[in-house]
């Protein structure tokens, strides 16, 4: 409940300041436009559109998800949070906020892909939905803890993608594989290993995040 | 009446190789006002942050007790009210929204009546629905006192409490500090004689600069 209150505070703050939403919306529009211009009238393969989808998602996440902690640090309200809630409450609240943001962002990106790229055809929607949900959860969990780490650093903009890349790489590679399977129309039963990898990734990342956050949060 | 105490056991703080203070042993107990003084750079803010468990000491322990029971540092925010110049509230919310969110994040039901009472005491009631962005620096400082008091804490730490306040604001704050000290523990870090004049005991950090 306390975490939900923190999420509500962040959401209300986001609606008033548009700190992350504007950056995300602009990034999504610009990236998809650049991809479309570079493709031109060429016909690209299905697999390539699947790959491009996760490239756009990865870089969009890099541009918007660090804001959860960076905005607090820039406004000087980090101490205010430390004075009103336990570290676990703060991490949970920020995680809920990033989860909502990631799901909204990725729904928009996937929707735009499906209408703008004719070769982006998903034959097994159920499998893609599982990959989408587990992948978004993993991106949100990892991005939240990395945002907490980099919020106190001086070169935040550079550090965030640099730190995120090795941490998100196993997730993105598995998501690419599952997207390919869902484009091929493979069954869920035939993709259980990749789904298990995603579940393990999410569980490991959330456990590690809760264990590490106390040390990151306190000076 | 809940008895609140803070024990400082041999507190040492270094920033890199620079010694800030060494060997501070002190016991704070409720219904008292304590002062922490010292020249600029002597570590007043550092010491209050260590007491509030916002930063850790290089050596030594800070033990908070409520009625003899040791308080876990992760639960300290339930007992602590803190005001300082380096504390910022949310500019995009009104005063009342700020207090409402702070209560709910703490897991408390927002007490509008008490909130109105505090805001009235601090001469902010008429402006409670205005965004904090539009407040003067003195009003923001007064709102920090509402932030510190909204959850009825047992320990109040005021670092430079009268920064940016006019004479009327200072009087309000002094009255509020005296009222709180009747039942709670108050610690003030300041160099202002008028602030330190409220205190029953003062720790002079200039005396804790020697390495052993």
């Amino acid at each position: 409940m306390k975490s939900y209150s923190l999420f509500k505070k962040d959401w209300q703050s986001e609606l008033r300041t548009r700190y992350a939403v504007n950056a995300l919306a602009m990034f999504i529009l610009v990236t998809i436009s650049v991809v479309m211009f570079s493709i031109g009238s060429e016909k690209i393969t299905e697999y390539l559109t699947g790959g491009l989808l996760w490239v756009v998602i990865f870089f969009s996440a890099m541009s918007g998800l660090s804001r959860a902690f960076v905005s607090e640090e820039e406004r000087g309200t980090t101490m205010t949070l430390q004075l009103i809630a336990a570290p676990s409450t703060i991490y949970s609240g920020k995680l809920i906020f990033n989860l909502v943001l990631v799901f909204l962002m990725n729904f928009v990106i996937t929707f735009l892909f499906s209408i703008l790229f004719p070769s982006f055809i998903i034959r097994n929607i159920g499998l893609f939905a599982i990959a989408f949900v587990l992948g978004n959860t993993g991106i949100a969990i990892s991005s939240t803890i990395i945002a907490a780490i980099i919020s106190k650093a001086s070169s935040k903009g550079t550090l965030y993608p640099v730190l995120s890349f090795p941490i998100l790489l196993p997730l993105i590679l598995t998501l690419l594989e599952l997207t390919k399977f869902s484009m091929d129309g493979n069954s869920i039963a035939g993709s259980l290993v990749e789904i298990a990898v995603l579940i393990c990734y999410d569980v490991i990342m959330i456990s590690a995040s809760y264990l590490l956050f106390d040390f990151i949060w306190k000076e | 009446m809940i008895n609140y105490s803070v024990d400082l056991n041999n507190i040492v703080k270094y920033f890199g190789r620079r010694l800030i203070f060494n060997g501070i042993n002190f016991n704070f107990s409720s219904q008292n006002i304590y002062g922490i003084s010292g020249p600029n750079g002597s570590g007043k803010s550092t010491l209050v942050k260590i007491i509030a468990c916002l930063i850790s000491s290089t050596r030594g322990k800070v033990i908070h007790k409520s009625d003899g029971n040791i308080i876990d540092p992760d639960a300290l925010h339930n007992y602590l009210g803190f005001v300082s110049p380096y504390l910022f509230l949310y500019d995009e919310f009104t005063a009342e929204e700020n207090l409402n969110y702070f209560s709910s994040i703490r897991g408390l039901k927002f007490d509008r009546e008490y909130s109105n009472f505090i805001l009235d005491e601090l001469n902010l009631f008429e402006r409670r629905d205005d965004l904090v962005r539009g407040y003067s620096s003195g009003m923001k400082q007064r709102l920090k006192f509402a932030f510190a008091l909204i959850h009825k804490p047992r320990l109040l730490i005021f670092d430079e409490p009268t920064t940016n306040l006019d004479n009327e604001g200072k009087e309000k704050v002094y009255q509020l500090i005296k009222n709180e000290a009747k039942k709670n523990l108050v610690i003030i870090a300041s160099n202002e004689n008028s602030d330190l004049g409220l205190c029953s005991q003062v720790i002079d950090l200039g005396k804790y600069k020697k390495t052993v």
Side-chain angles (χ1 to χ4, degrees):
Chain A
M1 199 59 206
K2 293 177 193 175
S3 307
Y4 177 68
S5 299
L6 180 59
F7 160 71
K8 258 175 57 182
K9 185 277 289 174
D10 279 349
W11 190 249
Q12 193 64 37
S13 174
E14 183 57 42
L15 291 178
R16 292 192 187 173
T17 59
R18 316 263 169 173
Y19 204 93
V21 168
N22 279 354
L24 275 173
M26 288 313 295
F27 196 92
I28 291 167
L29 279 177
V30 170
T31 318
I32 292 181
S33 305
V34 168
V35 170
M36 288 187 72
F37 282 127
S38 58
I39 291 168
S41 55
E42 297 267 329
K43 191 172 172 5
I44 57 167
T45 64
E46 289 181 12
Y47 292 162
L48 190 57
T49 53
L52 284 172
L53 171 81
W54 290 106
V55 170
V56 173
I57 285 175
F58 174 78
F59 283 107
S60 304
M62 292 306 95
S63 77
L65 299 184
S66 66
R67 310 280 169 153
F69 283 102
V70 172
S71 68
E72 300 281 358
E73 197 65 39
E74 283 177 356
R75 289 183 294 176
T77 48
T78 302
M79 185 187 283
T80 314
L81 280 184
Q82 287 172 333
L83 287 166
I84 59 173
S88 57
T89 308
I90 293 163
Y91 180 76
S92 308
K94 297 291 182 187
L95 177 58
I96 299 170
F97 179 76
N98 270 354
L99 273 170
V100 172
L101 215 54
V102 165
F103 272 91
L104 281 177
M105 172 186 95
N106 291 353
F107 268 122
V108 171
I109 294 173
T110 312
F111 175 72
L112 287 175
F113 257 73
S114 60
I115 56 167
L116 294 173
F117 297 98
S119 51
F120 183 73
I121 301 160
I122 303 291
R123 292 189 177 82
N124 187 342
I125 302 225
L127 180 59
F128 183 75
I130 291 170
F132 188 81
V133 169
L134 291 173
N136 286 350
T137 309
I139 290 172
I141 295 168
S142 305
S143 306
T144 308
I145 194 71
I146 300 164
I149 294 170
I150 61 117
S151 66
K152 292 184 196 304
S154 52
S155 52
K156 301 173 179 60
T158 326
L159 206 53
Y160 194 59
V162 168
L163 262 182
S164 301
F165 181 68
I167 294 172
L168 286 176
L169 190 64
L171 179 73
I172 299 288
L173 288 177
T174 316
L175 287 168
L176 285 172
E177 198 68 13
L178 277 173
T179 308
K180 202 170 89 178
F181 289 170
S182 59
M183 286 176 151
D184 289 340
N186 288 9
S187 66
I188 292 171
S191 315
L192 281 180
V193 174
E194 283 75 14
I195 293 172
V197 170
L198 285 188
I199 294 170
C200 290
Y201 180 92
D202 290 358
V203 171
I204 290 168
M205 283 311 297
I206 201 157
S207 311
S209 298
Y210 273 103
L211 288 172
L212 288 174
F213 188 71
D214 270 18
F215 300 100
I216 296 164
W217 187 238
K218 291 192 173 165
E219 274 181 49
Chain B
M1 180 92 56
I2 293 170
N3 186 29
Y4 196 96
S5 68
V6 181
D7 294 324
L8 304 184
N9 296 329
N10 198 26
I11 300 294
V12 181
K13 183 68 183 177
Y14 279 89
F15 280 127
R17 286 183 176 184
R18 192 161 60 88
L19 174 72
I20 307 300
F21 41 70
N22 187 15
I24 301 178
N25 289 291
F26 204 86
N27 174 259
F28 302 97
S29 57
S30 48
Q31 296 172 63
N32 284 300
I33 306 174
Y34 296 91
I36 298 170
S37 73
N40 295 143
S42 61
K44 296 185 294 295
S45 298
T46 304
L47 183 58
V48 292
K49 282 185 196 170
I50 289 171
I51 294 171
C53 295
L54 293 169
I55 59 171
S56 52
S57 56
T58 308
R59 280 196 295 278
K61 269 190 169 178
V62 181
I63 300 167
H64 290 256
K65 288 181 189 165
S66 178
D67 274 341
N69 300 314
I70 294 177
I71 297 165
D72 181 59
D74 276 354
L76 186 63
H77 59 272
N78 295 321
Y79 299 84
L80 172 67
F82 195 92
V83 173
S84 77
Y86 43 84
L87 175 80
F88 296 95
L89 305 182
Y90 293 95
D91 273 358
E92 66 273 25
F93 296 135
T94 67
E96 191 169 278
E97 283 171 338
N98 264 290
L99 299 179
N100 192 347
Y101 279 124
F102 296 141
S103 297
S104 59
I105 293 169
R106 280 195 166 96
L108 305 170
K109 194 174 181 299
F110 179 56
D111 186 344
R112 191 177 301 275
E113 207 173 306
Y114 185 60
S115 163
N116 288 345
F117 169 74
I118 304 175
L119 291 173
D120 192 36
E121 285 284 297
L122 294 161
N123 282 350
L124 290 171
F125 183 74
E126 299 297 325
R127 299 284 304 272
R128 69 189 186 285
D129 291 325
D130 291 355
L131 294 181
V132 173
R133 187 174 293 138
Y135 280 22
S136 69
S137 50
M139 290 168 74
K140 284 181 182 171
Q141 178 69 7
R142 277 184 274 152
L143 183 59
K144 289 177 193 174
F145 283 90
F147 160 75
L149 293 170
I150 190 71
H151 57 299
K152 299 175 184 166
R154 297 283 150 228
L155 166 64
L156 286 152
I157 298 178
F158 299 131
D159 188 2
E160 310 281 2
T162 50
T163 306
N164 295 323
L165 294 180
D166 56 15
N167 287 337
E168 189 197 353
K170 281 183 185 175
E171 279 312 312
K172 286 268 178 200
V173 163
Y174 290 151
Q175 196 53 49
L176 189 149
I177 290 174
K178 284 177 195 165
N179 285 341
E180 286 300 318
K182 286 176 188 165
K183 50 189 189 302
N184 298 320
L185 166 57
V186 180
I187 300 172
I188 299 172
S190 178
N191 277 331
E192 293 277 332
N193 287 336
S194 52
D195 297 354
L196 296 173
L198 300 168
C199 306
S200 53
Q201 282 185 74
V202 176
I203 303 176
D204 179 6
L205 288 181
K207 292 176 184 168
Y208 296 93
K209 292 284 177 189
K210 287 178 188 162
T211 47
V212 179

